[in-house]
Amino acid sequence: MKLKHTINPVLLHFINFIILVYSFITYIPWYILSGSRQAIAKSKQIKAKPVNNQPGSAYRSVNSVHCLASVLYPGCDTLDKVFKYAKTKFKDKTLLGTREVLKEEDEIQPSGKVFKKVILGKYTWLSYDDVYIKAVNFGNGLGILGQQPKSNIAIFCETRAEWMIAAQACFMYNYRLVTLYATLGGPAIVHGLNETEVNTIITSKDLMQTKLKEIVSQVPLLRHIITVDGKPTTWAEFPKGVIVHTMVSVQAMGAKADN
């Protein structure tokens, strides 16, 4: 069903013309004053350049190719130093919180789909100082296992407090951190580990059991698997040459060592 125009056609064309003129007149000041012209020009500018002519060179902002642009706090020009500063300033403040999974329930949606509903407990908190000590001990323990500065190490784990502790340990001890999404499939995991030539991977016992178990034999350089939450009980035999540790045991080694 179409609506019929009851307005005079000549008047209708005149109104449309007025609207067109008004739009044109107001658009030009808006375009100039809103900075849209500058934004469009800026979007076309080169924003980063390689720091040298070597293949694979890192890229930096064109405004600061040869040095860091700025630092948040004096002397804090690395991630390691920033965390040390935060630990000193906020020593007893809470930093990382973890909620225990009490149980899982099936929740039926109106559409008929079944979703997993997780029942969580209260938060258990770690302070800045707690996290710092755990990271130092873990990084030191990785060194005892043979991890060398500027060598690659992989984290294949869900987002959790142990992920951040492991990452901070790598920053402290200059281990190159390789991150793999926990949602990746077997072929992608194999490619990521082999491409980066890691011999140590940090993961969870669930991912170790459900994903790593099937592909470990395809990663010939792998020597150490570190689980952040204990060893899986359903995988009794590990591939030859691969040693499985827990994060707690590696931290204990690091705490005892005089390094």
Side-chain angles (χ1 to χ4, degrees):
M1 177 179 175
K2 293 184 179 180
L3 296 176
K4 294 182 179 180
H5 290 294
T6 58
I7 191 169
N8 188 295
V10 176
L11 181 60
L12 182 62
H13 285 300
F14 178 74
I15 293 174
N16 288 335
F17 175 74
I18 294 297
I19 293 174
L20 179 64
V21 172
Y22 175 81
S23 300
F24 181 77
I25 292 174
T26 56
Y27 174 76
I28 294 176
W30 170 84
Y31 181 77
I32 295 174
L33 298 176
S34 67
S36 298
R37 181 175 55 181
Q38 293 84 348
I40 294 173
K42 190 174 182 180
S43 66
K44 297 180 180 179
Q45 293 178 352
I46 297 175
K47 298 179 178 61
K49 291 182 178 180
V51 296
N52 56 52
N53 296 325
Q54 299 297 322
S57 169
Y59 275 68
R60 282 183 179 168
S61 168
V62 293
N63 298 323
S64 183
V65 176
H66 303 294
C67 62
L68 293 175
S70 63
V71 293
L72 189 59
Y73 303 105
C76 296
D77 55 356
T78 66
L79 292 173
D80 172 36
K81 293 177 183 178
V82 169
F83 187 55
K84 285 182 179 178
Y85 178 90
K87 184 267 299 186
T88 302
K89 186 174 182 178
F90 307 109
K91 183 176 181 180
D92 297 321
K93 300 288 186 179
T94 55
L95 175 57
L96 297 178
T98 300
R99 297 177 71 183
E100 180 186 3
V101 178
L102 300 178
K103 61 179 179 178
E104 293 184 357
E105 296 178 351
D106 291 336
E107 189 176 75
I108 302 176
Q109 305 300 309
S111 62
K113 292 184 178 180
V114 179
F115 289 165
K116 287 289 185 181
K117 182 179 179 181
V118 179
I119 309 299
L120 301 174
K122 295 182 178 179
Y123 276 101
T124 301
W125 289 94
L126 293 173
S127 67
Y128 278 81
D129 198 46
D130 294 332
V131 174
Y132 183 82
I133 293 172
K134 288 179 179 293
V136 168
N137 291 340
F138 187 60
N140 198 25
L142 290 174
I144 295 172
L145 292 180
Q147 190 71 31
Q148 297 296 317
K150 296 185 179 181
S151 62
N152 295 339
I153 184 171
I155 295 184
F156 173 57
C157 191
E158 307 88 349
T159 303
R160 54 193 300 162
E162 292 84 359
W163 197 107
M164 184 57 67
I165 293 170
Q168 290 295 341
C170 292
F171 301 153
M172 290 176 179
Y173 287 83
N174 203 13
Y175 304 143
R176 292 170 177 164
L177 185 58
V178 177
T179 59
L180 300 175
Y181 289 116
T183 53
L184 289 178
I189 300 169
V190 171
H191 175 77
L193 296 178
N194 286 333
E195 185 74 11
T196 53
E197 300 181 340
V198 300
N199 55 36
T200 300
I201 183 171
I202 302 163
T203 187
S204 66
K205 62 181 181 182
D206 179 60
L207 289 175
M208 181 180 174
Q209 178 66 33
T210 58
K211 294 191 175 183
L212 286 180
K213 181 179 179 180
E214 303 299 328
I215 56 93
V216 166
S217 60
Q218 302 174 49
V219 187
L221 294 181
L222 191 61
R223 294 293 176 267
H224 299 284
I225 299 175
I226 302 173
T227 54
V228 298
D229 52 354
K231 295 181 181 180
T233 57
T234 55
W235 191 5
E237 297 182 4
F238 301 101
K240 186 177 181 180
V242 176
I243 305 174
V244 179
H245 314 265
T246 63
M247 190 174 191
V248 172
S249 66
V250 175
Q251 287 170 331
M253 285 191 294
K256 292 180 180 178
D258 183 17
N259 187 351

